């Protein structure tokens, strides 16, 4: 049992990767659509490349979306509008008007004949206005000659819209019917009564109109024929267009709408599992062969798998809602994020695998895969400096433009012309570009979630105007200048051996921040001949020197500097000795000294970048002690320091080769000669 536990502990990293691999495969397969798949690929306007195809079962020919939309538009155009006629308003208006008119005429000196004539005119006016009704003001725009349905109680009467009275017509109608101008006193009073008391009694019945419209729309047939089992659909070599295209789209839809039956469910899941497992296995093999550092870091592997699952989940949700919006999803964020944290090659490789997996989910998979792979390549090639917003914005415009061009090309191939372009997709591509700009806050979120540091954050940290570096420049100006020189040497060395130059430069700028605590105890900050170490014992002096590493780590953590940078502070002296004070202690004691008091706590460098910093730091510091440096002296200095570090085993964990060490030494020699403006002495 103990052996088993020990084996598990030793191989815990591999076991975790296996667990992550299985969980990811299961989750992705679970997200795949639970429907059948049509096994043939076809495109409009292209020849049918397979054998003669016969219907495997009876199915209906479905109308295209354009045909259905056209029918709906026609129904909406011809659908009648319903108006409600209110009898109660008419009754109340008539009662009020005739009561008021009779009251006016009762006190009038007109003859009975004239009074009766006026009453008959009023009756005629009111009856005419309310014959079909007086329409309430509405924003509903309608053709005056269009037929409408007027609902009176339980009866519906079809009339022309222009038969309804509108408020704009009332004034002219009353003036023309009440009498001949100039009006008499009685006519004016009656006219005022009519103006005040006439009220609209017809309103637009929006709810009933919409109900009838929906009833008509619900009667639309979504099919236009039937194909019988074993009926020929298409011959090999026939062009996929017209009726053949409609039939093929219909049977494809039938296959995709079929829910997996119990008999074939397990086999289909098994097939999906193999394909998905192969895709993720390729990713793991790529990491193991070409990105060993990432493969060995479970946190980074988890981060990569998490991002792929996130993209698959996003596309799955969009397809379930409405597949036409799949191009709104900013899939190119995946290679962007992976490039920001790792490198372009890994970003593109992961993007291609993810897009291939998405081909099982989306409709028109060939078009989708082609567009997304092209967009991913453009993303990797164009975006270089994410932290510069202008660069990101320009790159996103380029990616969107490539989407436009690629989709345009696909459309004219399929349609044979540019007249039937789906302009909505261009809007979706534009939205995709806008969503891609969200990559900057997303990178920040991932940094906090997974404890990773992107190259963009490193560039921000390497800004010498940052708070901590400004403090270093003010409190320890000599150390700051030393750090700048070390950063330049380290960056040049990293570039030569293809290490992460941004990371090593940033680490170099922060590696000595602990010297801010006691700056005058370090020679580069001593502007006078007074040396405070003269009043201390060698052990105390060594303690102060060694302590700058511990103080640096504490200060970095306090200022929320990422662990990747703190690693440079911890390792830049490894487990080497504070040699000057060690030798001084030997002289004082006249014999051997316990080296523990004079040894840095470590750890030793564990990457190419931390090893580069150790070499550059030691070489730059030692070169300052040369009073009249020559080219030969600098060459010997570099050889001596690097050889001593190698002999002391400081590079045992750094995964750096002898060839790379030789390259770094050449860079250091050349750069130091440039710093001291030295030339090689040629023989006379």
């Amino acid at each position: 049992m103990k052996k088993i536990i020990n084996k598990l502990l030793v191989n815990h990293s591999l076991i975790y990767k296996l667990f992550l691999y299985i969980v990811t495969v299961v989750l992705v397969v679970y997200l795949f659509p639970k429907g059948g798949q049509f096994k043939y690929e076809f495109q409009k306007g292209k020849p049918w490349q397979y054998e003669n195809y016969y219907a495997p079962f009876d199915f209906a020919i479905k109308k295209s979306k354009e045909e259905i939309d056209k029918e709906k538009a026609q129904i909406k155009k011809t659908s009648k509008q319903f108006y409600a006629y209110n009898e109660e308003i008419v009754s109340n208006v008539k009662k009020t008007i005739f009561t008021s008119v009779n009251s006016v005429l009762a006190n009038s000196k007109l003859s009975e004949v004239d009074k009766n004539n006026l009453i008959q005119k009023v009756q005629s006016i009111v009856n005419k206005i309310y014959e079909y009704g007086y329409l309430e003001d509405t924003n509903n725009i309608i053709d005056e000659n269009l037929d409408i349905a007027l609902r009176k109680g339980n009866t519906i009467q079809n009339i022309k819209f222009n038969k309804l009275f509108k408020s704009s017509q009332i004034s002219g109608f009353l003036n023309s019917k009440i009498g001949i101008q100039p009006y008499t006193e009685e006519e004016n009073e009656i006219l005022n009564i009519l103006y005040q008391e006439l009220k609209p009694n017809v309103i637009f019945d929006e709810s009933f109109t919409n109900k009838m419209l929906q009833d008509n729309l619900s009667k639309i047939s979504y099919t236009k024929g039937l194909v019988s089992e074993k009926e020929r659909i298409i011959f090999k070599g026939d062009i996929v267009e017209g009726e053949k295209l409609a039939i093929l789209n219909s049977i494809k839809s039938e296959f995709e709408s079929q829910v997996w039956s119990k008999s074939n469910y397990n086999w289909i899941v098994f097939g999906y599992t193999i394909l998905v497992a192969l895709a993720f296995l390729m990713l793991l093999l790529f990491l193991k062969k070409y990105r060993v550092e990432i493969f060995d870091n479970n946190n980074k592997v988890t981060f990569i798998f998490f991002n792929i699952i996130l993209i698959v989940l996003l596309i799955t949700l969009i397809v379930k809602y409405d597949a036409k919006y799949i191009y709104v999803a900013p899939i190119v964020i995946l290679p962007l994020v992976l490039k920001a944290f790792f490198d372009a090659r890994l970003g593109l490789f992961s993007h291609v695998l993810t897009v291939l997996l998405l081909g099982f989910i989306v409709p028109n998979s060939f078009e989708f895969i082609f567009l997304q792979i092209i967009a991913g390549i453009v993303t990797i090639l164009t975006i270089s400096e994410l932290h510069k917003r202008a660069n990101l914005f320009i790159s996103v415009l380029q990616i969107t433009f490539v989407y436009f061009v690629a989709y345009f090309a696909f459309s004219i191939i399929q349609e044979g012309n540019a007249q039937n372009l789906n302009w909505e997709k261009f809007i979706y591509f534009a939205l995709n570009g806008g969503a891609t700009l969200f990559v900057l806050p997303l990178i920040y979120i991932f940094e906090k979630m997974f404890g990773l540091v992107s190259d963009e954050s490193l560039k921000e940290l390497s800004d010498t105007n940052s708070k901590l570096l400004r403090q270093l420049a003010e409190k320890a100006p000599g150390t700051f200048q030393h750090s700048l020189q070390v950063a330049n040497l380290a960056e040049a060395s990293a570039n030569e051996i293809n290490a992460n130059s941004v990371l090593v430069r940033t680490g170099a700028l922060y590696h000595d921040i602990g010297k801010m605590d006691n700056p005058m105890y370090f020679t580069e900050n001593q502007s006078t001949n007074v040396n405070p170490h003269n009043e201390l014992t060698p052990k105390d002096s060594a303690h102060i020197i060694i302590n700058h590493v511990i103080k640096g780590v504490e200060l970095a953590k306090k200022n929320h500097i990422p662990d990747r940078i703190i690693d440079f502070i911890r390792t830049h002296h490894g487990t080497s000795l504070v040699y000057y004070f060690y030798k001084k202690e030997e002289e004082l004691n006249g014999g051997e000294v316990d080296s523990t008091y004079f040894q840095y706590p470590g750890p030793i460098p564990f990457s190419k970048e931390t090893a580069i910093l150790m070499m550059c730091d030691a070489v730059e510091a030692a070169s300052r002690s040369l009073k009249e440096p020559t080219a030969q002296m600098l060459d010997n200095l570099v050889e001596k320091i690097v050889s001593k570090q190698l002999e002391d085993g400081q590079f045992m964990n750094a995964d750096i080769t002898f060839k790379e060490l030789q390259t770094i030494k050449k860079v250091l020699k050349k750069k130091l000669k440039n710093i001291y403006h030295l030339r090689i002495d040629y023989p006379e």
Side-chain angles (χ1 to χ4, degrees), residues 304-462:
I304 295 168
F305 278 48
F306 172 79
N307 275 276
I308 294 174
I309 292 172
L310 209 60
I311 295 295
V312 175
L313 176 62
L314 175 64
I315 294 298
T316 303
L317 293 174
I318 291 174
V319 169
K320 284 185 177 180
Y321 176 72
D322 194 336
K324 72 178 183 179
Y325 296 118
I326 54 172
Y327 288 114
V328 177
I331 294 176
V332 293
I333 278 183
L334 176 64
L336 269 178
V337 168
L338 296 184
K339 182 183 178 182
F341 286 107
F342 307 115
D343 61 86
R345 191 176 174 189
L346 174 58
L348 183 59
F349 189 86
S350 303
H351 176 72
V352 171
L353 284 180
T354 305
V355 170
L356 290 175
L357 290 175
L358 295 177
F360 292 111
I361 300 173
V362 300
N364 299 322
S365 55
F366 177 75
E367 174 187 309
F368 178 85
I369 290 171
F370 184 88
L371 287 177
Q372 297 298 354
I373 288 178
I374 290 295
I377 293 171
V378 173
T379 301
I380 292 296
L381 293 176
T382 58
I383 294 184
S384 55
E385 296 178 305
L386 278 174
H387 67 288
K388 293 183 179 179
R389 289 172 294 179
N391 287 355
L392 176 61
F393 186 74
I394 291 169
S395 298
V396 166
L397 287 179
Q398 291 173 331
I399 295 165
T400 307
F401 176 72
V402 168
Y403 271 127
F404 285 172
V405 173
Y407 172 69
F408 174 78
F410 259 105
S411 294
I412 60 175
I413 289 171
Q414 293 172 353
E415 302 292 339
N417 57 62
Q419 297 175 357
N420 297 321
L421 287 175
N422 184 354
W423 294 103
E424 270 190 8
K425 284 196 176 179
F426 289 97
I427 297 173
Y428 299 153
F429 292 138
L431 292 173
N432 183 310
T436 304
L437 295 173
F438 185 68
V439 68
L440 289 179
L442 192 64
I443 286 174
Y444 177 78
I445 292 168
F446 284 152
E447 285 179 339
K448 299 303 178 185
M449 284 177 61
F450 291 90
L452 299 172
V453 181
S454 68
D455 285 350
E456 312 315 316
S457 295
L458 292 176
K459 288 173 183 176
E460 290 179 8
L461 286 168
S462 63

Side-chain angles (χ1 to χ4, degrees), residues 37-92:
Q37 293 286 330
F38 189 56
K39 62 181 179 179
Y40 302 108
E41 286 286 341
F42 59 89
Q43 284 182 278
K44 181 181 178 181
K46 295 291 183 181
W48 179 257
Q49 299 176 347
Y50 310 98
E51 295 300 323
N52 300 346
Y53 186 53
Y54 298 88
F57 47 77
D58 295 341
F59 65 93
I61 304 172
K62 295 183 178 180
K63 293 177 183 176
S64 67
K65 184 178 181 299
E66 291 74 20
E67 289 175 318
I68 293 169
D69 289 344
K70 189 175 179 180
E71 283 189 37
K72 287 182 177 180
Q74 184 62 27
I75 288 173
K76 289 177 181 178
K77 183 178 178 181
T78 58
S79 181
K80 280 187 179 178
Q81 294 190 353
F82 286 81
Y83 291 80
Y85 186 97
N86 193 320
E87 296 276 9
E88 186 178 351
I89 290 176
V90 176
S91 177
N92 291 336

Side-chain angles (χ1 to χ4, degrees), residues 24-203:
T24 304
V25 170
V26 170
L27 188 57
V28 171
V29 171
Y30 174 77
L31 291 173
F32 276 5
K34 305 300 185 290
Q37 293 286 330
F38 189 56
K39 62 181 179 179
Y40 302 108
E41 286 286 341
F42 59 89
Q43 284 182 278
K44 181 181 178 181
K46 295 291 183 181
W48 179 257
Q49 299 176 347
Y50 310 98
E51 295 300 323
N52 300 346
Y53 186 53
Y54 298 88
F57 47 77
D58 295 341
F59 65 93
I61 304 172
K62 295 183 178 180
K63 293 177 183 176
S64 67
K65 184 178 181 299
E66 291 74 20
E67 289 175 318
I68 293 169
D69 289 344
K70 189 175 179 180
E71 283 189 37
K72 287 182 177 180
Q74 184 62 27
I75 288 173
K76 289 177 181 178
K77 183 178 178 181
T78 58
S79 181
K80 280 187 179 178
Q81 294 190 353
F82 286 81
Y83 291 80
Y85 186 97
N86 193 320
E87 296 276 9
E88 186 178 351
I89 290 176
V90 176
S91 177
N92 291 336
V93 167
K94 284 182 178 181
K95 184 178 179 182
T96 305
I97 287 175
F98 288 117
T99 300
S100 300
V101 168
N102 287 330
S103 176
V104 169
L105 294 178
N107 300 321
S108 174
K109 295 178 181 179
L110 293 174
S111 63
E112 290 299 323
V113 174
D114 291 337
K115 288 179 180 179
N116 288 333
N117 286 337
L118 275 175
I119 291 172
Q120 287 175 5
K121 283 182 182 180
V122 171
Q123 287 176 336
S124 174
I125 289 169
V126 173
N127 289 336
K128 183 64 178 176
I129 289 174
Y130 289 112
E131 180 182 1
Y132 297 107
Y134 177 6
L135 180 64
E136 189 177 62
D137 286 338
T138 177
N139 294 326
N140 191 35
I141 301 171
I142 188 170
D143 184 358
E144 288 286 330
N145 294 314
L146 195 66
D147 286 339
I148 63 166
L150 187 64
R151 191 157 54 88
K152 293 184 179 181
N154 295 326
T155 62
I156 294 177
Q157 181 182 7
N158 293 322
I159 64 168
K160 297 288 184 185
F161 183 69
N162 58 17
K163 288 191 175 182
L164 294 177
F165 270 89
K166 291 83 178 175
S167 57
S168 59
Q169 299 172 327
I170 293 294
S171 178
F173 179 72
L174 293 180
N175 288 334
S176 66
K177 295 296 182 181
I178 200 66
I180 301 170
Q181 293 185 357
Y183 300 135
T184 64
E185 184 181 346
E186 287 80 7
E187 286 175 336
N188 277 322
E189 288 188 33
I190 290 171
L191 199 58
N192 289 333
I193 291 169
L194 290 172
Y195 277 134
Q196 292 175 8
E197 302 300 336
L198 286 172
K199 291 182 175 58
N201 75 311
V202 174
I203 60 169

Side-chain angles (χ1 to χ4, degrees), residues 21 25 274-291 295 304-305 308 346 349-350 352-354 356-357:
Y21 174 74
V25 170
I274 291 174
L275 293 174
V276 175
L278 279 174
F280 282 103
L281 181 61
M282 294 305 103
L283 179 57
L284 285 174
L285 290 175
F286 175 86
L287 294 175
K288 184 169 178 58
K289 186 171 179 63
Y290 299 107
R291 301 292 183 272
F295 181 80
I304 295 168
F305 278 48
I308 294 174
L346 174 58
F349 189 86
S350 303
V352 171
L353 284 180
T354 305
L356 290 175
L357 290 175

